[in-house]
Amino acid sequence: RLRGEVHALVQLGIMIEAQEGLTWERWEAIIAAADRLGFTWLRRSDHLFSTIATGERDSLELWPSLTMVPVRSERLRFGQMVSPITWRHPVELARNAAALDRLSGGRFDLGVGAGWNEVEHRAFGIPFPPIRERFDRLDEAIQVIQRLHTGERVSFDGRYYRLEDAVCRPTPTRPGGPRLVIGGKGRRSLRIIATYADEWNVTSMTPQDYEALRAEFERACADAQRDPNAVERTIMLAHLVGRDEAELRERARRMQQIIPSLQEVPVEELPDRLRQRNWLVGTPDEVVERIKSWEAVGIQGILLQTLDQEDIPALELIASEIMPRVGAAAQ
């Protein structure tokens, strides 16, 4: 696919919270399943430790784990959602992105963000500037990355980043560099997305809220003199899917072990509680209807936040019973 091209059908991908116990064995199994089942994307988070549990959990480091995807799959689009600019310097991002883009033949999507988890920053001694500075840094960092991806000598004299005759080689496969994924819904986020992004991602909200937000995004695109249709629009949604009520409850019990805060909710009430949090919950018929409501407001892709990393049968159910009814499987 070319830079700026958009889908006509909703595509489905898998999003893994790598800080929640991801191991090499689990990651290999997830890559194989995503590839075999026809999902469009495989993406992972970029955190330093668990964000939903107090106990210690395994987490694979970003770049080695992403490198495994194009080695194991010849078709998956892949990347991170998203790397905080607070602990990923733009030179690091630019060089790794170019390398992964070359290795995969142009299938790498670079996700960047301003950073949000203050606890994580404090634990590792990483400065956590005020929000305005974080967004200023993000704007500068994107400029640095995009200039480095030209392959030309770059001198940059910003407030936070400075380069003098810097060169990044080899250049990415695609002109302009890998597709840039940015998430957010605030006014400053939308301005940056409208200016730079190839894909705009949002998280948990209702289709009605998204429709109002889309109008704000289109105004930001007009201000940036950008065609909003040149930006792919995706949403990340957690899921709990079962063929029937019994299977749904069994997956709900497993989810309580993964997310400790859910243990206080009676298991029979959990599906409704998760629906209220805008998860995709229910039988395949129910989930298909929910996905169609997202398609109706302009969503082109859904990243399925897969919190049970060992539940490959849930992915198989989605691929066989849901994917054919909402969009063509990726080729």
Side-chain angles (χ1 to χ4, degrees), residues 313-329:
L315 300 179
E316 293 171 339
L317 177 62
I318 291 167
S320 64
E321 302 295 329
I322 295 173
M323 191 185 296
R325 299 164 64 184
V326 297

Side-chain angles (χ1 to χ4, degrees), residues 7-184:
H7 282 298
L9 296 171
V10 173
Q11 299 291 299
L12 300 183
I14 299 171
M15 166 64 187
I16 298 296
E17 298 293 347
Q19 72 281 358
E20 305 302 338
L22 189 63
T23 62
W24 285 117
E25 292 76 16
R26 288 180 174 183
W27 188 232
E28 287 193 84
I30 291 165
I31 294 170
D35 188 51
R36 169 174 58 87
L37 296 172
F39 288 95
T40 298
W41 301 276
L42 177 58
R43 293 185 180 159
R44 55 148 292 170
S45 58
D46 188 9
H47 283 285
L48 301 177
F49 56 48
S50 174
T51 60
I52 63 175
T54 55
E56 296 179 359
R57 287 180 171 176
D58 289 342
S59 175
L60 296 184
E61 177 53 19
L62 182 71
W63 303 119
S65 65
L66 288 179
T67 302
M68 180 179 280
V69 182
V71 171
R72 293 286 194 266
S73 169
E74 295 183 355
R75 63 159 199 86
L76 282 170
R77 284 168 55 183
F78 68 105
Q80 72 271 54
M81 289 181 56
V82 294
S83 283
I85 208 65
T86 44
W87 68 62
R88 300 288 184 189
H89 193 281
V91 173
E92 173 196 352
L93 289 166
R95 288 184 58 80
N96 279 283
L100 288 170
D101 191 70
R102 282 277 174 179
L103 179 63
S104 65
R107 290 181 284 126
F108 176 68
D109 297 335
L110 174 60
V112 294
W116 62 270
N117 192 325
E118 185 175 3
V119 173
E120 218 169 1
H121 287 74
R122 186 168 61 248
F124 288 90
I126 300 168
F128 187 71
I131 188 167
R132 180 173 180 176
E133 180 181 330
R134 298 201 306 276
F135 276 105
D136 288 344
R137 286 178 176 271
L138 177 61
D139 195 305
E140 274 194 20
I142 294 170
Q143 294 179 55
V144 168
I145 292 166
Q146 292 186 335
R147 293 187 191 187
L148 285 171
H149 281 164
T150 66
E152 300 173 358
R153 291 191 175 275
V154 177
S155 293
F156 185 89
D157 187 17
R159 183 173 181 183
Y160 304 105
Y161 305 109
R162 290 177 175 81
L163 282 71
E164 183 177 343
D165 289 333
V167 178
C168 179
R169 290 294 182 96
T171 56
T173 303
R174 290 174 291 187
R179 296 176 67 264
L180 189 65
V181 182
I182 308 176

Side-chain angles (χ1 to χ4, degrees), residues 36 39 103-104 134 191 229 239 270 275 278 293 307:
R36 169 174 58 87
F39 288 95
L103 179 63
S104 65
R134 298 201 306 276
R191 286 205 302 268
N229 292 320
H239 61 92
L270 193 53
R275 286 186 183 97
N278 300 311
S293 71
L307 295 167

